[in-house]
Amino acid sequence: MESIISAINSLVWGQLMVPLLLGVGIMFSLRLRFIQLRRFKHMFSILFSGKGKDNFGISPFQALCTSLASRVGTGNLAGVAVALYVGGAGAIFWMWMTALLGMATGYAESALAQLYKTQDDQGTYRGGPAYYIERGLGQRWMGMLFAVLLIISFGFVFNAVQANSIAVAMHSAFGIDTLTTGLVIAALSAIVIFGGIHSIARAAETLVPLMALVYLMVALSVVAMHYDKVPAMFAQIFNSAFGLEQAAGGIMGGLMVALLNGVKRGLYSNEAGMGSAPNAAASAAPNPHHPASQGFVQSLGVFIDTIIICTCTALVILLSGVMEHGNGVSGVELTQAALDATLGGGGKALVAIAILFFAFTSIIGNYMYAESNLIYLMGNRYVKPLLMVVRVLVIGMVIWGALEKVGIVWDAADASMGLMAMVNLVALILLSGVVIKLTRDYEQQLNQKQVPQFTNTDDYPGQIDQTIWRK
């Protein structure tokens, strides 16, 4: 199994994913005239605009929190530490670049998810890459391939990663047995997962802002305590990003290590282009009533996840100096050691509690994505018996992840994430013209001081549910 995973990672990440991921981000940034910067203020006005005028979707704020529940997790604490440990400080710069370009990619995929969304037999909105691949491109087989890869990645592998990080953190901080942690997390996850999508949205709406604010307050207080060293840390990040600090392997060798690990961990953290957040975006009742509006909300999610939260974690680790001591720890244990050093003790417990909330909400957010794609594969009529099976398997993967080795779990996540993202990125390239047209329609109405409304469904390719957009 390890050799198969290694071979997949060598092909996907060694040859294909980096140019494809960054290339798509550059394409949308240029074609949309850097909409992620031009409309940055507009993103906040939409976020708190309230739910659209129907009872079938969740609010834009709930949709953002649901996507952040998946995004904000081990990637922000353990993933950043892994990137620093393997790729050096320069990996953080490439995480930033992945996020900046990813804001445009995240906008595009979430706008498409809104445009081609449907309703299940309960009236709940469903959508995502599988839906816009089939309904926008007319390629059912490609949509099914994406759905299968997403269920494997988010339903199973990524949840094992989250459980693994919780178990490692709890054992390091409190000496709690990993099996005990796995069983407790599995039980808590089951309570929310068996409650359905609205239960997940309510849990995410409450937990995500709270946990993010508490962690940011702690991290920013550490940065403030060492404010005189911050400029040097940023200089280290920029120098290391281009291989200027690496002696072994030369400049190009150092650059490639930093680039590869920064892009990997950036994608895992903010998920822009991976095709996960569009599943949450499609569940929203947008306000304004236009597909592009939810694209702005999810673009903001990429910024919050990587530019803000991941940067705070990186600065805490770099300011602590623990990497220079060669203690040999990586992942969440490195973040724990950094906070221990900067706060004078208590860091292990603090990170353990933070990652408990971060990873727990990721587990329930991940499951929502898997459920939506299972419904796509099976249809409403046949999915109910399978949902029970998938829910049980998800809980089982949580327990397995808590017991498994860190390296195997992260390598498996990289492999499944890369394969899934490749399918989605190809679809985004093929549907890029639709994204540009949607954006022009939205911005033209904004420029005319109108509240954007989407009604001209006949002007777009594929199958669009006109009953949703002409309500």
Side-chain angles (χ1 to χ4, degrees):
M1 179 63 72
E2 288 185 53
S3 61
I4 293 173
I5 292 173
S6 178
I8 293 173
N9 279 330
S10 178
L11 173 64
V12 173
W13 287 103
Q15 306 293 329
L16 303 172
M17 267 302 296
V18 172
L20 183 60
L21 182 68
L22 297 180
V24 170
I26 292 170
M27 178 192 72
F28 279 116
S29 294
L30 293 175
R31 295 192 67 184
L32 295 170
R33 296 180 297 120
F34 286 91
I35 195 168
Q36 66 268 48
L37 303 178
R38 290 190 299 107
R39 296 294 184 183
F40 186 70
K41 182 179 178 182
H42 184 66
M43 296 175 189
F44 291 92
S45 65
I46 294 175
L47 181 60
F48 301 106
S49 61
K51 189 168 70 171
K53 296 180 180 179
D54 64 62
N55 297 317
F56 300 114
I58 58 180
S59 71
F61 182 70
Q62 285 180 318
L64 175 67
C65 289
T66 301
S67 65
L68 282 175
S70 176
R71 282 188 176 119
V72 179
T74 55
N76 300 86
L77 281 82
V80 172
V82 169
L84 283 169
Y85 184 80
V86 179
I92 304 305
F93 174 84
W94 295 110
M95 286 185 75
W96 292 339
M97 293 300 100
T98 302
L100 181 62
L101 297 174
M103 288 177 72
T105 307
Y107 165 85
E109 61 184 353
S110 294
L112 287 172
Q114 274 283 323
L115 178 64
Y116 292 107
K117 69 183 179 182
T118 61
Q119 288 179 284
D120 62 21
D121 57 354
Q122 303 297 316
T124 301
Y125 292 138
R126 300 283 182 181
Y131 292 81
Y132 59 66
I133 288 171
E134 178 181 354
R135 299 172 72 87
L137 293 175
Q139 302 296 325
R140 168 74 175 169
W141 70 269
M142 189 176 174
M144 292 178 69
L145 173 62
F146 176 86
V148 170
L149 290 171
L150 185 141
I151 292 169
I152 293 171
S153 298
F154 280 84
F156 305 134
V157 181
F158 285 9
N159 281 340
V161 171
Q162 307 295 341
N164 183 275
S165 294
I166 296 175
V168 170
M170 288 295 177
H171 184 266
S172 176
F174 307 114
I176 300 174
D177 180 70
T178 53
L179 177 59
T180 301
T181 300
L183 291 173
V184 171
I185 296 302
L188 293 174
S189 301
I191 293 172
V192 181
I193 285 173
F194 281 85
I197 184 173
H198 289 282
S199 173
I200 293 170
R202 287 192 296 271
E205 184 181 32
T206 302
L207 291 174
V208 172
L210 176 64
M211 69 180 185
L213 282 173
V214 170
Y215 178 72
L216 280 175
M217 287 174 63
V218 173
L220 288 172
S221 67
V222 170
V223 173
M225 289 163 54
H226 301 85
Y227 70 92
D228 57 320
K229 298 180 181 178
V230 172
M233 295 301 101
F234 278 104
Q236 182 182 351
I237 289 172
F238 283 105
N239 289 334
S240 181
F242 300 98
L244 300 180
E245 290 192 350
Q246 286 84 358
I251 291 178
M252 283 305 298
L255 187 152
M256 290 309 298
V257 171
L259 172 62
L260 182 60
N261 283 279
V263 173
K264 268 188 184 181
R265 299 281 68 85
L267 176 62
Y268 180 81
S269 179
N270 62 55
E271 302 177 12
M274 195 189 301
S276 53
N279 294 272
S283 300
N287 191 12
H289 193 64
H290 194 289
S293 66
Q294 187 56 215
F296 288 111
V297 172
Q298 295 303 326
S299 181
L300 182 61
V302 176
F303 177 85
I304 293 171
D305 174 89
T306 304
I307 304 298
I308 296 180
I309 300 179
C310 286
T311 300
C312 286
T313 300
L315 287 175
V316 167
I317 294 173
L318 291 173
L319 288 167
S320 71
V322 293
M323 290 181 62
E324 300 170 7
H325 300 154
N327 53 15
V329 297
S330 180
V332 69
E333 290 179 292
L334 180 58
T335 308
Q336 287 179 303
L339 273 177
D340 245 3
T342 52
L343 294 177
K348 287 185 177 181
L350 186 63
V351 173
I353 294 170
I355 208 163
L356 172 64
F357 284 101
F358 275 47
F360 173 68
T361 53
S362 289
I363 289 171
I364 60 178
N366 290 348
Y367 168 76
M368 193 212 80
Y369 296 159
E371 178 182 299
S372 182
N373 281 268
L374 186 65
I375 291 173
Y376 166 81
L377 284 173
M378 304 303 299
N380 293 310
R381 182 180 301 178
Y382 304 106
V383 78
K384 288 184 179 179
L386 273 177
L387 275 179
M388 189 65 64
V389 174
V390 169
R391 287 168 178 171
V392 172
L393 289 175
V394 168
I395 301 306
M397 286 298 292
V398 168
I399 298 172
W400 175 81
L403 300 174
E404 193 51 79
K405 295 179 181 177
V406 175
I408 295 175
V409 175
W410 278 95
D411 287 346
D414 284 340
S416 62
M417 171 177 69
L419 291 172
M420 183 179 71
M422 285 177 61
V423 176
N424 183 51
L425 290 169
V426 170
L428 289 178
I429 293 171
L430 297 175
L431 288 168
S432 60
V434 176
V435 176
I436 306 305
K437 190 173 183 178
L438 270 176
T439 306
R440 286 175 179 168
D441 177 56
Y442 186 91
E443 292 199 296
Q444 184 178 22
Q445 294 182 62
L446 271 186
N447 293 335
Q448 294 173 352
K449 309 298 182 184
Q450 299 174 357
V451 176
Q453 296 290 317
F454 181 70
T455 55
N456 52 342
T457 55
D458 295 334
D459 293 342
Y460 291 82
Q463 298 173 282
I464 297 174
D465 192 332
Q466 297 187 9
T467 59
I468 291 175
W469 293 110
R470 291 184 176 175
K471 285 180 180 178

